[in-house]
Amino acid sequence: MAAPMMARFGGRVSAWLSVPYRLCSSAPRAAPPRPPLRTRLLLFLYRRFYDVENLVTWSAALKLWNLRRKNAYYGYTQQLYGDGVAAAYYILSLRGGVRFSGQSDWIRPNSRGRFSWDFMEFRDVPIEEVDASGTEINYRGLDNLAPLSSLRSLSLSRCPHVDDWFLARLHVFSQSLEELSVLPSSDRGAALLQ
Amino acid sequence: MWSGACRPFKTLTGSLFSGPRCARYARWRTAPIRGFSAGKGDDFFKDVESELKKFRAKAAAALPGSDWTPLVVNPALPPERADVVIVGGGVVGWSVAYWLKKKERIRDGVRVVVVERDPTYSQASTVLSVGGIRQQFSMPENIHMSMFSCDFMRNINEHLDVMNEDPVDLQFNHAGYLFLASENGAEIMEHNYNIQRGEGAKVSLLSPTQLKNKFPWINTEGVVLASYGMENEGWFDPWALLNAFRKKAISMGVYQCFGEVTGLQCTSREMMTAEGEPVEFKRIHHVIVRMPNSLESQPVECGLVVNGYKMETWRNNSYLFTGIGTGCKDTMAGIPLPVEPRKRYVYVFHCPNGPGLEMPLLIDPSGAYARREGLGGNFLGGMSPSEEEEHDASDLEVDHDFFQEKVWPKLGHRVPDFQNIKVRSAWAGYYDYNTFDQNGILGIHPLVNNMYLATGFSGHGLQQSPATGRAVAELILDGGFKTLDLTALGLGRLFSGERMLERNIV
């Protein structure tokens, strides 16, 4: 069946799969929707020309590189300023929100993605709540959050890269985490959250 | 085009004759004309259309750019020349093919052909396997291979995504492996645990009380220590992985051929060792591939041959065509490959009150194992028999008495809920068992210059297949191991007699 051009990440394909699948019924399946002209044209050119194939491959690789850059491990920051500051900077750079223990206000970036550096005052204060909903957090980014031993609440709704592997790694928070909000991608995801 | 022109004519006549008086006349005029096929009315236009289609097809074949030839060639034959021929189309073979194409530095730099005997994969170890992956090994090389394979499977869509195909879904269950140890095995388990933690695997040791807290359905009698894998362990769908490798490799230009390798043509060169003994070096120059259900065979001229298939006792193993194992007993040529097929049974049973979703792949100290399958209360279970009681590996018939007598008592003792089960089905598959030390054999054979072996994984070939493929591709294209150093798994140890024992075999 036709999958979209840039569907290198499983999460984005679901937007195109608007046709319900009837796995066990004998009724004839509805034909999958034809992708728009732009996609079909790009696919035709991809198949015919090596240049187009290279350009498409490079643009997908660029997207992946960007994702990896956003989820890089802030090891140097951790060494210099501590785990809390590194994790806070990481979450804020992803446009998420952080709340430190003892504070009632959330620290969030504004609509343009800019945030103040006030969180640097809280070097030794543990982070209690992290709101990463709608961000591009993924498995590699959990390296930044893993040292947070007193994390109480983690919100992961609407994150496109939170998959079963990500959820399986959340066991590192099993001691302290009280509230976890996530939309699991499959029924196997529900098994992981045991 | 022609038939379209008839339609307005028919509706026109229909409307002219649509009054009640003319009803019968109208029916006669507008009824479809079922004339003779000499070409009257509708049939004539349809014939013209099909003739035009045939003409267009013939014209396309005659123009340059088509693959029509006057000499009809069997399209299923492999190419006459190839750079690397991979014998065996299981997950290891296709993994090698994918990595070779991934690492070639120019487009079509290496021509790879994968030869597989059975297109239905009815007896292939890959698809009959239970599909587990674990890092709980005793050899660091095995641990790293599994860790890399897990990383590979986590990012499988980055590696094996094909344009315009569905994203790969391996159905990976992250439940982990739980090894239980009795008094005898506790020390070995602790030693293995230290090695695993040292290499970076996320494993934890549990005492019987902790075990009972975490998994209340286990009977901890006789259990002194348990080792639980917390991350990167579980089971997945091997058919999905095989097909993902296959589709991606074919999209990158690997040739797939269904046929049987019936011979290897070699040239040989006699040389003298330093002690003055004659040694015969062979070099394979042709692989004879015979088509299925046919006497037709094609010699494929090749540069390298990669053996990625399981050994069988009752057919001629292709590596034997090179004469390995048929020399004098004391020489290198006299040492055969110590790999043989061992039959293993897998039983599917249903337990109404069994352990829930959090059940890992449980391995009893006796060797019996069980894991959850799906969400309907079904479980898979089995056991590797001891050396003396090995099953007869000549066919894949299932012995249900083995379950009744050997497997079920152990499982029922360990998980009391399993005393009330009903066996739904069973199948048998082969372990590519390395009788020497139960670890994979990976490398070039010293006496056959261009044959690479990747076999003998004794039950963990599937879980190490991405790493194996990459290792063989590095040997071929880079001349040596670049990422993981797997010289410990090479063939040298077979000739020096040094065993690299893997203690944790399921």
Side-chain angles (χ1 to χ4, degrees):
Chain A
M1 58 152 259
M5 209 36 82
M6 306 300 172
R8 302 281 163 165
F9 315 116
R12 289 205 203 146
V13 181
S14 52
W16 293 81
L17 291 176
S18 53
V19 178
Y21 263 89
R22 287 168 290 211
L23 290 172
C24 302
S25 88
S26 54
R29 284 187 188 178
R34 243 177 133 198
L37 177 66
R38 190 173 143 259
T39 313
R40 278 184 282 139
L41 179 67
L42 200 52
L43 189 62
F44 171 75
L45 291 174
Y46 177 95
R47 283 182 178 144
R48 248 185 105 77
F49 299 108
Y50 285 133
D51 316 320
V52 177
E53 183 184 336
N54 281 335
L55 283 172
V56 167
T57 316
W58 291 339
S59 81
L62 188 66
K63 285 200 172 76
L64 274 175
W65 175 84
N66 203 23
L67 181 69
R68 249 178 273 138
R69 182 187 61 85
K70 286 185 181 163
N71 282 293
Y73 179 53
Y74 288 90
Y76 189 60
T77 321
Q78 267 187 13
Q79 273 178 20
L80 284 183
Y81 298 108
D83 303 334
V85 165
Y89 182 80
Y90 164 65
I91 294 290
L92 291 171
S93 67
L94 282 181
R95 298 195 179 208
V98 170
R99 190 180 73 76
F100 284 89
S101 153
Q103 306 291 317
S104 58
D105 300 327
W106 284 77
I107 304 178
R108 285 182 195 280
N110 65 8
S111 57
R112 290 176 60 196
R114 302 179 73 90
F115 49 89
S116 78
W117 288 68
D118 293 342
F119 66 89
M120 295 280 286
E121 308 165 12
F122 302 113
R123 275 179 83 151
D124 300 316
V125 181
I127 295 183
E128 258 188 7
E129 293 187 40
V130 166
D131 175 18
S133 42
T135 59
E136 287 196 320
I137 191 168
N138 77 356
Y139 182 91
R140 289 184 73 242
L142 268 187
D143 288 337
N144 293 310
L145 295 183
L148 298 179
S149 50
S150 44
L151 186 69
R152 286 227 314 255
S153 155
L154 181 59
S155 168
L156 296 165
S157 343
R158 303 183 324 272
C159 293
H161 303 299
V162 166
D163 54 6
D164 295 340
W165 295 88
F166 188 99
L167 298 176
R169 205 175 171 194
L170 289 180
H171 72 88
V172 295
F173 299 123
S174 56
Q175 301 301 320
S176 61
L177 199 65
E178 288 166 16
E179 200 185 310
L180 175 68
S181 122
V182 65
L183 291 172
S185 54
S186 65
D187 46 19
R188 292 191 300 284
L192 300 166
L193 297 172
Q194 290 282 329
Chain B
M1 182 183 68
W2 295 91
S3 53
C6 308
R7 257 181 257 125
F9 176 70
K10 274 206 267 192
T11 47
L12 187 61
T13 49
S15 60
L16 277 177
F17 296 105
S18 57
R21 276 187 306 152
C22 315
R24 210 158 21 130
Y25 185 57
R27 268 200 301 277
W28 171 73
R29 270 312 275 155
T30 56
I33 299 165
R34 290 185 194 86
F36 301 113
S37 64
K40 286 275 170 72
D42 236 8
D43 288 351
F44 169 73
F45 296 118
K46 273 201 190 122
D47 273 348
V48 168
E49 205 170 310
S50 67
E51 289 298 321
L52 267 179
K53 229 189 241 178
K54 277 190 239 169
F55 172 73
R56 262 181 254 136
K58 275 191 195 157
L63 285 172
S66 77
D67 60 353
W68 178 85
T69 74
L71 313 160
V72 174
V73 177
N74 182 356
L77 287 178
E80 285 175 11
R81 279 181 205 85
D83 292 316
V84 182
V85 172
I86 298 177
V87 181
V91 72
V92 171
W94 280 109
S95 168
V96 174
Y98 161 72
W99 279 104
L100 277 172
K101 277 300 185 183
K102 173 94 190 260
K103 288 175 72 69
E104 66 177 8
R105 285 183 208 99
I106 56 171
R107 193 186 289 273
D108 295 333
V110 191
R111 182 184 282 196
V112 183
V113 175
V114 174
V115 181
E116 165 59 37
R117 185 180 53 214
D118 181 9
T120 60
Y121 288 92
S122 53
Q123 298 189 335
S125 304
T126 302
V127 296
L128 294 170
S129 106
V130 168
I133 178 165
R134 58 181 165 112
Q135 271 94 49
Q136 296 182 49
F137 289 103
S138 59
M139 266 186 77
E141 281 87 1
N142 280 336
I143 299 173
H144 283 293
M145 280 170 90
S146 281
M147 280 169 66
F148 171 72
S149 300
C150 229
D151 266 345
F152 185 88
M153 285 192 254
R154 185 173 60 242
N155 299 318
I156 196 156
N157 276 306
E158 281 178 36
H159 296 285
L160 299 183
D161 189 34
V162 180
M163 179 63 61
N164 210 33
E165 291 274 344
D166 293 340
V168 182
D169 180 16
L170 284 182
Q171 320 263 335
F172 201 105
N173 282 280
H174 296 261
Y177 267 62
L178 181 66
F179 278 88
L180 302 177
S182 56
E183 286 278 347
N184 310 347
E187 212 181 294
I188 302 178
M189 180 176 271
E190 214 176 310
H191 175 71
N192 289 346
Y193 166 78
N194 289 327
I195 299 178
Q196 286 149 21
R197 285 308 291 246
E199 302 299 332
K202 310 274 195 313
V203 186
S204 66
L205 282 181
L206 300 172
S207 68
T209 31
Q210 286 171 327
L211 190 63
K212 194 74 189 176
N213 281 343
K214 206 170 167 74
F215 304 113
W217 38 266
I218 292 188
N219 169 19
T220 52
E221 182 194 329
V223 172
V224 167
L225 198 56
S227 166
Y228 179 51
M230 299 195 293
E231 269 183 42
N232 293 344
E233 291 196 353
W235 57 87
F236 60 95
D237 179 13
W239 176 243
L241 182 65
L242 175 66
N243 265 330
F245 270 128
R246 200 162 76 152
K247 278 190 182 157
K248 183 68 179 174
I250 292 180
S251 81
M252 290 163 114
V254 172
Y255 293 83
Q256 175 181 294
C257 171
F258 289 116
E260 186 173 352
V261 172
T262 49
L264 295 174
Q265 286 175 355
C266 320
T267 51
S268 58
R269 202 166 62 153
E270 280 261 344
M271 299 189 78
M272 303 286 265
T273 61
E275 288 88 36
E277 290 167 22
V279 178
E280 199 183 0
F281 282 109
K282 288 202 159 129
R283 197 180 170 84
I284 304 171
H285 56 79
H286 276 90
V287 176
I288 316 282
V289 180
R290 194 186 65 193
M291 290 295 106
N293 303 323
S294 156
L295 292 175
E296 188 181 4
S297 60
Q298 165 85 317
V300 180
E301 187 182 346
C302 61
L304 304 166
V305 173
V306 177
N307 265 348
Y309 68 100
K310 65 178 194 300
M311 303 293 170
E312 293 155 17
T313 43
W314 68 97
R315 276 185 234 256
N316 280 327
N317 289 305
S318 69
Y319 79 90
L320 286 177
F321 299 129
T322 56
I324 295 176
T326 55
C328 307
K329 285 290 174 218
D330 294 334
T331 62
M332 243 193 216
I335 301 176
L337 263 185
V339 183
E340 60 181 40
R342 292 276 174 97
K343 188 157 109 172
R344 295 286 179 265
Y345 299 118
V346 178
Y347 302 93
V348 184
F349 52 89
H350 174 81
C351 179
N353 305 317
L357 288 177
E358 79 284 1
M359 179 189 183
L361 203 154
L362 177 70
I363 298 146
D364 194 56
S366 59
Y369 64 86
R371 73 150 167 94
R372 175 180 59 85
E373 168 64 32
L375 300 168
N378 293 317
F379 298 86
L380 290 187
M383 190 165 102
S384 292
S386 58
E387 286 280 343
E388 301 81 35
E389 298 170 345
E390 278 293 343
H391 314 295
D392 173 34
S394 51
D395 60 12
L396 282 179
E397 292 298 317
V398 178
D399 179 12
H400 292 274
D401 295 331
F402 180 70
F403 183 77
Q404 298 280 347
E405 288 158 26
K406 297 274 161 47
V407 186
W408 192 12
K410 308 259 172 20
L411 288 180
H413 171 71
R414 189 55 58 202
V415 182
D417 293 329
F418 282 167
Q419 280 159 12
N420 174 26
I421 60 171
K422 191 172 160 119
V423 177
R424 287 277 158 92
S425 88
W427 69 81
Y430 290 116
Y431 268 19
D432 215 10
Y433 201 78
N434 180 352
T435 48
F436 186 66
D437 56 9
Q438 289 88 58
N439 258 326
I441 298 177
L442 222 158
I444 312 177
H445 196 281
L447 293 181
V448 184
N449 287 357
N450 55 355
M451 187 161 81
Y452 290 77
L453 289 159
T455 179
F457 287 97
S458 317
H460 36 92
L462 170 69
Q463 58 187 280
Q464 293 176 342
S465 57
T468 313
R470 188 179 63 163
V472 175
E474 282 172 2
L475 276 184
I476 293 177
L477 294 177
D478 299 330
F481 294 113
K482 286 279 179 288
T483 45
L484 281 177
D485 185 10
L486 300 177
T487 38
L489 294 178
L491 275 92
R493 72 189 202 268
L494 298 179
F495 302 110
S496 62
E498 197 188 317
R499 286 166 192 256
M500 297 276 168
L501 276 171
E502 173 54 55
R503 283 155 151 182
N504 246 0
I505 302 282
V506 177

